[in-house]
Amino acid sequence: MEAIKTMSLPTGVSSIVNHFLKQSEVLFNHQVPHIYQNGASWEVCRKGTATEQFDAVVLTVAIPQILQLQGDVGSLLEEIPRQQLGAVSYSSRYALGLFYKAQAHFDVPWAAKYVSNNPCIRFIAINDQKRNLEFPECGPSMVVHISVPFGVKHLEEAKEQVEPIILVKLNKLLPGLPQPDSIKCQKWRYSQVTSSVPTAQGR
């Protein structure tokens, strides 16, 4: 039996992504409406720019977003009918990243906590404690994930409107939290699958 190699990621799985991003030319906030196959290459059209060719294209978006793409991507989805893929449903979530000064301290006995009895907040983690790391030069950070019902209720609202609601709920749940130095609010319209393709369990 072939041995399986394991590796430690003390800074999280995102360190793999960051490793490759540092070796790449990264362009953010570009919409891709078309992807066409041209022989062994793929032509990618970024909105407002000329078409570029690549040896391979990796899509890391949810099925509804893939189905919106024009071009030849649909030809790769013949194994499962588009109608079934279009019926896949997802939960929607918000998350807050709170970043603190180096002197900040959290008076809690845990590094990560699942919250089962709160209508807004579902999970909290203090990143440096959770990963057993210290970043004295930049201070600790906290991530807060909200519940699925809260995400559905506020899905169509702007992040700027939802962020203060989550902060109020967080401070009621954990009174006495230090003031964050900066905050990032993230919305995932497509988070976890809630209803998958019946014939493709586990994919």
Side-chain angles (χ1 to χ4, degrees):
M1 182 178 178
E2 185 179 354
I4 299 175
K5 294 182 179 180
T6 60
M7 61 185 298
S8 174
L9 295 172
T11 57
V13 177
S14 63
S15 60
I16 298 176
V17 178
N18 290 331
H19 170 76
F20 288 107
L21 287 179
K22 289 177 182 178
Q23 303 179 51
S24 309
E25 178 186 1
V26 182
L27 300 174
F28 294 105
N29 299 319
H30 286 267
Q31 183 179 352
V32 175
H34 311 280
I35 298 179
Y36 296 100
Q37 192 168 16
N38 184 6
S41 301
W42 289 91
E43 294 183 353
V44 177
C45 175
R46 288 187 285 122
K47 192 171 184 179
T49 64
T51 299
E52 299 178 81
Q53 291 203 16
F54 299 91
D55 295 329
V57 175
V58 179
L59 298 175
T60 60
V61 296
I63 288 293
Q65 293 169 306
I66 293 177
L67 294 177
Q68 292 171 12
L69 287 172
Q70 300 179 37
D72 299 320
V73 175
S75 64
L76 304 178
L77 304 175
E78 294 176 353
E79 182 182 350
I80 302 174
R82 292 176 65 95
Q83 184 178 1
Q84 290 186 350
L85 289 172
V88 174
S89 60
Y90 296 78
S91 63
S92 301
R93 291 181 182 272
Y94 285 87
L96 283 188
L98 299 100
F99 305 90
Y100 296 86
K101 295 185 182 299
Q103 299 80 14
H105 173 71
F106 306 106
D107 189 20
V108 293
W110 41 261
K113 181 179 179 65
Y114 181 83
V115 182
S116 60
N117 58 350
N118 190 284
C120 173
I121 295 170
R122 188 60 71 236
F123 177 78
I124 307 171
I126 303 170
N127 286 331
D128 55 333
Q129 294 181 23
K130 178 185 174 186
R131 296 172 179 170
N132 198 26
L133 294 172
E134 292 185 6
F135 301 101
E137 70 281 0
C138 60
S141 63
M142 174 183 288
V143 62
V144 179
H145 286 259
I146 57 84
S147 68
V148 172
F150 182 91
V152 172
K153 180 179 179 181
H154 298 276
L155 177 60
E156 301 304 332
E157 298 176 30
K159 292 186 294 184
E160 293 76 14
Q161 294 176 298
V162 179
E163 179 183 310
I165 300 174
I166 302 174
L167 285 173
V168 168
K169 300 293 185 182
L170 176 63
N171 282 285
K172 286 184 177 179
L173 186 64
L174 299 175
L177 279 178
Q179 183 69 24
D181 195 38
S182 63
I183 301 172
K184 178 177 176 60
C185 183
Q186 178 69 48
K187 175 166 64 173
W188 288 284
R189 179 174 293 273
Y190 304 109
S191 181
Q192 297 170 308
V193 173
T194 57
S195 178
S196 63
V197 175
T199 58
Q201 296 293 337
R203 296 193 180 185

